[in-house]
Amino acid sequence: SRSLALTAQVGQAIASTWRPSFPPLTRILGVQEPWEVARNRHNQQIFVRLRTQGKVFGVATYHMPCVFWDPRVIAVHAALSAQHVQRLAGTDPYIFAGDFNLKPGSGPYRLLTQGSLPPSDPDLPPPRDGDPWTPALQEPLESAYVKAQGREPDFTNYAQILSEAPFIDCIDYIFCKPGIKVVSCDPLPSRAQAKGPLPTEAEPSDHILLAATFNLR
């Protein structure tokens, strides 16, 4: 998938991979509750620590589970993955980008960009007995496209599965640590300009390319 591009001069890099880990859960009344679904998704995250001209920064990517029917599952993975990025980055700048499988304005999107969700939010994962973990970040993430262009792209994914209705929306993002200067983001087409569904001969992925340039000095 050609879902993102980041410009950086790389001198040294240290990489790590991560996947969410959950203790065993019990299926209740034969229906999978959100923690059970989240636990059974084995998506992996990549984090690299880069050094250029004496400046250290982190870059991470994660392909969020495709669980559109339960945003609470997405919220679990969104919070865990962002917490892990922030834990690995420490005080260094970081960029967190990928296919997040969530729409602008959704509960998981607000969790990432606001840092937490209010207790009354229907997309907030339910608490678990004996588990002190909460889906809250050390700091909210900032969107490169919102900072540079004032809004998220009109769409980043235009796909169709067999005879199902085409899906077109923004589900890919480039987030960063608050305060990082976003120099520019590549312009992307609107839905009115879209020629799809994708992929096509001209566009080899069902996700269009996002690109951002940052100044970390």
Side-chain angles (χ1 to χ4, degrees), residues 27-104:
R27 192 182 301 265
I28 302 174
L29 299 177
V31 177
Q32 285 187 298
E33 52 89 37
W35 281 102
E36 181 80 8
V37 178
R39 175 177 177 268
N40 288 328
R41 298 290 172 144
H42 303 295
N43 305 57
Q44 294 195 25
Q45 180 184 79
I46 297 174
F47 178 95
V48 293
R49 181 171 287 107
L50 307 176
R51 184 188 304 274
T52 176
Q53 300 179 348
K55 185 69 174 181
V56 177
F57 62 100
V59 177
T61 186
Y62 189 52
H63 189 171
M64 207 73 68
C66 185
V67 188
F68 291 110
W69 60 90
D70 194 340
R72 298 173 300 173
V73 174
I74 301 295
V76 169
H77 278 255
L80 284 170
S81 60
Q83 288 172 347
H84 195 65
V85 171
Q86 293 177 340
R87 183 164 54 250
L88 287 175
T91 59
D92 294 329
Y94 58 84
I95 298 161
F96 184 24
D99 178 353
F100 286 81
N101 275 320
L102 54 91
K103 300 178 182 180

Side-chain angles (χ1 to χ4, degrees), residues 158-193:
Y158 191 0
Q160 183 175 22
I161 300 175
L162 300 177
S163 60
E164 294 182 8
F167 173 87
I168 182 168
D169 216 315
C170 177
I171 59 173
D172 304 271
Y173 304 92
I174 301 177
F175 295 117
C176 62
K177 180 181 176 69
I180 293 181
K181 182 178 180 180
V182 180
V183 178
S184 64
C185 288
D186 283 9
L188 298 178
S190 67
R191 300 188 192 196
Q193 299 170 311

